[in-house]
Amino acid sequence: MSGSTLSIPAADEELPDCVEVAVIGLGYVGLPLAREAASVGLRVAGLDRDPRVVEGLNAGRSHVDDVSDDDVRQMRMAGFTAYTDDACLARAQTVVICVPTPLSEDGGPDLSAVTSAVRAVAGRLRPGQLVVLESTTYPGTTEEVVRPLLEESRLRVGEDFALAFSPERIDPGNTTHGLRDTPKVVGGCTPSCAAHAVAFYGKFIDTVVQAKGTREAEMAKLLENTYRHVNIALINELAIISRELHVDVWDAIRCAGTKPFGFQAFRPGAGVGGHCIPIDPSYLSYKVRSSLGYEFRFVELAQDINRRMPEYVVRRAQDLLNTAGRPLRGSRVLLLGVTYKPDVADQRETPAVPVSRLLRKREAEVSFHDPHVQLWTVDGVAVPRVGDLMAAVRDHDLTILLQDHSAYDLPALADEARLLFDTRGRIFQPGVEVL
């Protein structure tokens, strides 16, 4: 969704008389939601501003890692159709908004896609509809931004239509926990709104957890990811300190992890990536700063630590080359894994970008390999992709493992590489530098 109201003509698809669910935004959040709803027999319509996405889905092609082409074909057989025209919203019993909320220049959430989607809904709103916001944002958004826009239709929340917030909990690439078996948190503007939302999600989610209200549901999402963000920052700083203290931080984590209570293992890395952990805590920090007038210091500190990790990785890489008698300038450096997590193609906020940027700034010759990424650009400049991986690690002065995709034979890579820097703590054998 962009900042303008959707008005692109739809493809040659006739609008059904009625759909039970309309999902706005068919990306990493919206498409899995549409799939699960369709899988239990609900009639689902999808709305997206990108004609290429709509055309691909209607032709049975997926653009999301966790939804296969076969999944899309099954959805189509169940009656799913994607549109670029918001006319489909008028026929929906429930509308779920799953549009992106990136950070704006002032560090707060950019709600332009949300407000655009809500205005589209308001223009088609009718009595009896349920509207749910799933896009991550700061506490108060549903009541302070979404509700007033919808009530411009002169329909009233809790009387004429229902409004709720339900945070997305999608974990791309997770084959253990999916949408259906991950508990769904729901908060309504009124008790009747909550009841409508709980009943809706209960049709295709195993467990629905009702929050006290929309603000609590909004805060729950930020709490989940702020918790992870702060603990990742803690272990990243411990990794730096441990090296100075001559402590094997990976072994310390292994030992601490044997405690059956009171400890959850987090592991250091080149930074944090994805749309959630680097972004979501900023929403909370923004709300505290704008509404209360002071900083959320835990979040600010965690952001500072995690943002410094790419620079630390490059500094360690430079030290490793210097020890081998080579300067970083002019050295050939191969980056393995440029996505933000293992075994997905998702590159959102990947720390590989600042690592590559810093290496180039120091005039290293950077190449990459990733089994899930064929083309990769940093600051608009293409990074060369190697074909023969084993030949490449033998040919490059330094190989840096940024993402431990399961396709990589890590021991074999360690045997062949001239120098290998493992930022994931996966290769503990002589000659390998570990973060």
Side-chain angles (χ1 to χ4, degrees), residues 138-140 144 215 284-294:
Y138 58 81
E144 298 166 6
R215 294 174 189 271
L284 189 53
S285 178
Y286 166 83
K287 183 62 175 179
V288 170
R289 186 171 61 250
S290 61
S291 297
L292 304 180
Y294 54 82

mmCIF file of all heavy atoms in Angstrom, residues 138-140 144 215 284-294:
data_model
loop_
_atom_site.group_PDB
_atom_site.id
_atom_site.type_symbol
_atom_site.label_atom_id
_atom_site.label_comp_id
_atom_site.label_asym_id
_atom_site.label_seq_id
_atom_site.Cartn_x
_atom_site.Cartn_y
_atom_site.Cartn_z
ATOM 1 N N TYR A 138 2.465 1.648 17.122
ATOM 2 C CA TYR A 138 2.581 2.017 18.534
ATOM 3 C C TYR A 138 1.225 1.908 19.236
ATOM 4 O O TYR A 138 0.171 1.982 18.599
ATOM 5 C CB TYR A 138 3.145 3.431 18.669
ATOM 6 C CG TYR A 138 2.339 4.503 17.979
ATOM 7 C CD1 TYR A 138 1.202 5.056 18.567
ATOM 8 C CD2 TYR A 138 2.713 4.966 16.723
ATOM 9 C CE1 TYR A 138 0.460 6.040 17.938
ATOM 10 C CE2 TYR A 138 1.973 5.951 16.082
ATOM 11 C CZ TYR A 138 0.859 6.479 16.696
ATOM 12 O OH TYR A 138 0.118 7.443 16.064
ATOM 13 N N PRO A 139 1.224 1.753 20.556
ATOM 14 C CA PRO A 139 -0.035 1.670 21.293
ATOM 15 C C PRO A 139 -0.869 2.936 21.127
ATOM 16 O O PRO A 139 -0.371 4.048 21.300
ATOM 17 C CB PRO A 139 0.423 1.508 22.754
ATOM 18 C CG PRO A 139 1.788 0.919 22.663
ATOM 19 C CD PRO A 139 2.394 1.525 21.430
ATOM 20 N N GLY A 140 -2.105 2.756 20.771
ATOM 21 C CA GLY A 140 -3.015 3.881 20.565
ATOM 22 C C GLY A 140 -3.390 4.098 19.119
ATOM 23 O O GLY A 140 -4.323 4.858 18.819
ATOM 24 N N GLU A 144 -6.692 5.963 17.991
ATOM 25 C CA GLU A 144 -6.417 7.370 17.702
ATOM 26 C C GLU A 144 -6.321 7.684 16.209
ATOM 27 O O GLU A 144 -6.525 8.826 15.805
ATOM 28 C CB GLU A 144 -5.104 7.783 18.385
ATOM 29 C CG GLU A 144 -5.139 7.665 19.901
ATOM 30 C CD GLU A 144 -3.752 7.746 20.525
ATOM 31 O OE1 GLU A 144 -2.775 8.004 19.774
ATOM 32 O OE2 GLU A 144 -3.639 7.525 21.741
ATOM 33 N N ARG A 215 -4.989 -1.276 22.870
ATOM 34 C CA ARG A 215 -3.674 -0.789 23.301
ATOM 35 C C ARG A 215 -2.829 -1.916 23.881
ATOM 36 O O ARG A 215 -1.608 -1.975 23.663
ATOM 37 C CB ARG A 215 -3.825 0.345 24.319
ATOM 38 C CG ARG A 215 -4.455 1.612 23.756
ATOM 39 C CD ARG A 215 -4.709 2.641 24.839
ATOM 40 N NE ARG A 215 -5.504 3.754 24.341
ATOM 41 C CZ ARG A 215 -4.998 4.843 23.778
ATOM 42 N NH1 ARG A 215 -3.696 4.971 23.655
ATOM 43 N NH2 ARG A 215 -5.788 5.803 23.337
ATOM 44 N N LEU A 284 7.819 1.877 19.869
ATOM 45 C CA LEU A 284 7.592 2.102 21.290
ATOM 46 C C LEU A 284 8.420 3.274 21.787
ATOM 47 O O LEU A 284 7.937 4.124 22.552
ATOM 48 C CB LEU A 284 7.928 0.829 22.073
ATOM 49 C CG LEU A 284 7.556 0.795 23.550
ATOM 50 C CD1 LEU A 284 6.092 1.143 23.755
ATOM 51 C CD2 LEU A 284 7.864 -0.582 24.127
ATOM 52 N N SER A 285 9.661 3.350 21.352
ATOM 53 C CA SER A 285 10.529 4.455 21.725
ATOM 54 C C SER A 285 9.937 5.774 21.238
ATOM 55 O O SER A 285 9.936 6.785 21.963
ATOM 56 C CB SER A 285 11.921 4.250 21.131
ATOM 57 O OG SER A 285 12.775 5.318 21.437
ATOM 58 N N TYR A 286 9.411 5.769 20.021
ATOM 59 C CA TYR A 286 8.782 6.973 19.456
ATOM 60 C C TYR A 286 7.579 7.393 20.283
ATOM 61 O O TYR A 286 7.397 8.581 20.585
ATOM 62 C CB TYR A 286 8.364 6.690 18.012
ATOM 63 C CG TYR A 286 7.416 7.709 17.431
ATOM 64 C CD1 TYR A 286 7.888 8.897 16.884
ATOM 65 C CD2 TYR A 286 6.033 7.481 17.434
ATOM 66 C CE1 TYR A 286 7.017 9.838 16.356
ATOM 67 C CE2 TYR A 286 5.158 8.419 16.907
ATOM 68 C CZ TYR A 286 5.651 9.593 16.365
ATOM 69 O OH TYR A 286 4.785 10.517 15.842
ATOM 70 N N LYS A 287 6.737 6.449 20.661
ATOM 71 C CA LYS A 287 5.532 6.772 21.420
ATOM 72 C C LYS A 287 5.887 7.333 22.797
ATOM 73 O O LYS A 287 5.270 8.301 23.266
ATOM 74 C CB LYS A 287 4.665 5.519 21.568
ATOM 75 C CG LYS A 287 3.333 5.754 22.285
ATOM 76 C CD LYS A 287 2.448 6.728 21.513
ATOM 77 C CE LYS A 287 1.072 6.857 22.160
ATOM 78 N NZ LYS A 287 0.209 7.814 21.439
ATOM 79 N N VAL A 288 6.880 6.732 23.450
ATOM 80 C CA VAL A 288 7.306 7.224 24.764
ATOM 81 C C VAL A 288 7.846 8.647 24.644
ATOM 82 O O VAL A 288 7.510 9.531 25.442
ATOM 83 C CB VAL A 288 8.370 6.287 25.373
ATOM 84 C CG1 VAL A 288 8.997 6.903 26.625
ATOM 85 C CG2 VAL A 288 7.750 4.929 25.717
ATOM 86 N N ARG A 289 8.669 8.863 23.615
ATOM 87 C CA ARG A 289 9.281 10.176 23.434
ATOM 88 C C ARG A 289 8.248 11.236 23.068
ATOM 89 O O ARG A 289 8.251 12.349 23.613
ATOM 90 C CB ARG A 289 10.354 10.093 22.347
ATOM 91 C CG ARG A 289 11.177 11.365 22.160
ATOM 92 C CD ARG A 289 12.358 11.121 21.230
ATOM 93 N NE ARG A 289 11.945 10.707 19.902
ATOM 94 C CZ ARG A 289 12.107 9.486 19.399
ATOM 95 N NH1 ARG A 289 12.670 8.544 20.139
ATOM 96 N NH2 ARG A 289 11.704 9.193 18.174
ATOM 97 N N SER A 290 7.325 10.905 22.164
ATOM 98 C CA SER A 290 6.363 11.896 21.690
ATOM 99 C C SER A 290 5.241 12.146 22.695
ATOM 100 O O SER A 290 4.735 13.274 22.793
ATOM 101 C CB SER A 290 5.768 11.455 20.346
ATOM 102 O OG SER A 290 5.081 10.219 20.476
ATOM 103 N N SER A 291 4.848 11.123 23.453
ATOM 104 C CA SER A 291 3.723 11.278 24.374
ATOM 105 C C SER A 291 4.149 11.620 25.798
ATOM 106 O O SER A 291 3.455 12.369 26.495
ATOM 107 C CB SER A 291 2.881 9.995 24.401
ATOM 108 O OG SER A 291 2.305 9.740 23.142
ATOM 109 N N LEU A 292 5.290 11.068 26.231
ATOM 110 C CA LEU A 292 5.708 11.252 27.618
ATOM 111 C C LEU A 292 6.883 12.207 27.769
ATOM 112 O O LEU A 292 7.183 12.655 28.875
ATOM 113 C CB LEU A 292 6.057 9.895 28.239
ATOM 114 C CG LEU A 292 4.937 8.832 28.178
ATOM 115 C CD1 LEU A 292 5.408 7.538 28.816
ATOM 116 C CD2 LEU A 292 3.668 9.337 28.845
ATOM 117 N N GLY A 293 7.598 12.457 26.660
ATOM 118 C CA GLY A 293 8.647 13.463 26.698
ATOM 119 C C GLY A 293 9.994 12.988 27.179
ATOM 120 O O GLY A 293 10.869 13.796 27.473
ATOM 121 N N TYR A 294 10.197 11.695 27.261
ATOM 122 C CA TYR A 294 11.529 11.206 27.636
ATOM 123 C C TYR A 294 11.861 9.947 26.843
ATOM 124 O O TYR A 294 11.013 9.406 26.132
ATOM 125 C CB TYR A 294 11.636 10.939 29.139
ATOM 126 C CG TYR A 294 10.585 10.021 29.726
ATOM 127 C CD1 TYR A 294 10.699 8.636 29.646
ATOM 128 C CD2 TYR A 294 9.478 10.550 30.388
ATOM 129 C CE1 TYR A 294 9.746 7.806 30.196
ATOM 130 C CE2 TYR A 294 8.517 9.723 30.943
ATOM 131 C CZ TYR A 294 8.655 8.344 30.850
ATOM 132 O OH TYR A 294 7.704 7.525 31.393
#
